[in-house]
Amino acid sequence: KDFLDNPPTDMDSPVFRLMRIVLALDKPLIAAVSGAAIGIGTTLLLHCDQVLVSRTAKLRMPFVPLALCPEFGSSLLLPRMLGHARASRLLLCNELLTGEQAVQWGLANELYEDGEQCLKAARELAARLQKLPQEALRVSKRLLKDAHRAELAATVEREGWLFIERLNTPEAKAALRALVKD
């Protein structure tokens, strides 16, 4: 409904500001996923340093069925992380990925029985990281990300403009209206 009522119009829209903040973050980013992570809820995970999931996690990127396109660097990161065939299954075919599959495919680090255990483990991991020398942690994260930072930022921007363009098509508006009715 938000995409119909208040679609982003440029790279200063809140969602794109969030993306830039995540890309520039110099501290480790940890995700704990239980239940549905749809669209940006899944593409955000590609930018996390650690992803923990529960058995109830369900990841999906329904861009094509909504007449949209990939966002947040997913067209670059997913093929690198999973290979072209698996990335295509997720981005083009709208395939659902379970928490167990996310770990098997390398999108998540650890699998937990339920959301409570998953969140507890994420908090414990954050506490462990907080006890480490912080400047060394930031420098290490920067080294892990720097080699691809410019390419990723350019991809995020290119995807963003195409996403905005797609939101304004009759095809996308019809798909979103049908989704809101359901």
Side-chain angles (χ1 to χ4, degrees):
K1 188 167 180 357
D2 199 38
F3 281 144
L4 287 170
D5 295 343
N6 301 302
T9 57
D10 59 33
M11 291 300 118
D12 275 337
S13 297
V15 67
F16 296 114
R17 288 197 313 262
L18 170 68
M19 290 178 188
R20 283 193 301 277
I21 288 167
V22 169
L23 291 176
L25 194 62
D26 67 349
K27 295 180 180 179
L29 185 57
I30 301 168
V33 183
S34 183
I38 309 297
I40 198 167
T42 294
T43 59
L44 173 63
L45 302 177
L46 306 176
H47 301 275
C48 292
D49 300 291
Q50 297 290 300
V51 177
L52 289 63
V53 294
S54 76
R55 290 199 181 279
T56 64
K58 295 184 179 3
L59 313 178
R60 180 169 272 158
M61 293 166 281
F63 304 120
V64 172
L66 295 176
L68 300 171
C69 66
E71 42 87 318
F72 207 1
S74 56
S75 67
L76 176 69
L77 296 175
L78 273 173
R80 284 186 179 168
M81 296 171 84
L82 305 178
H84 179 80
R86 283 182 169 172
S88 293
R89 289 296 291 257
L90 296 175
L91 290 173
L92 302 180
C93 303
N94 189 34
E95 212 157 279
L96 176 74
L97 197 62
T98 66
E100 189 170 350
Q101 288 172 306
V103 172
Q104 290 170 353
W105 286 18
L107 284 179
N109 303 83
E110 298 171 17
L111 179 67
Y112 294 89
E113 286 303 313
D114 59 46
E116 192 173 304
Q117 290 175 357
C118 184
L119 184 57
K120 181 181 181 215
R123 287 181 171 148
E124 289 170 356
L125 177 57
R128 280 197 345 245
L129 290 172
Q130 194 173 19
K131 292 177 184 173
L132 296 172
Q134 293 302 294
E135 187 58 29
L137 196 61
R138 285 190 289 277
V139 167
S140 296
K141 176 170 176 165
R142 198 166 42 246
L143 288 169
L144 284 167
K145 300 279 185 173
D146 272 355
H148 307 287
R149 190 176 304 272
E151 181 184 22
L152 180 56
T155 300
V156 168
E157 183 159 343
R158 184 172 62 252
E159 288 173 346
W161 284 115
L162 289 169
F163 195 90
I164 290 168
E165 183 181 299
R166 295 292 317 147
L167 275 173
N168 290 303
T169 65
E171 185 180 49
K173 288 178 181 180
L176 290 167
R177 276 194 295 275
L179 181 67
V180 171
K181 283 183 183 178
D182 292 343

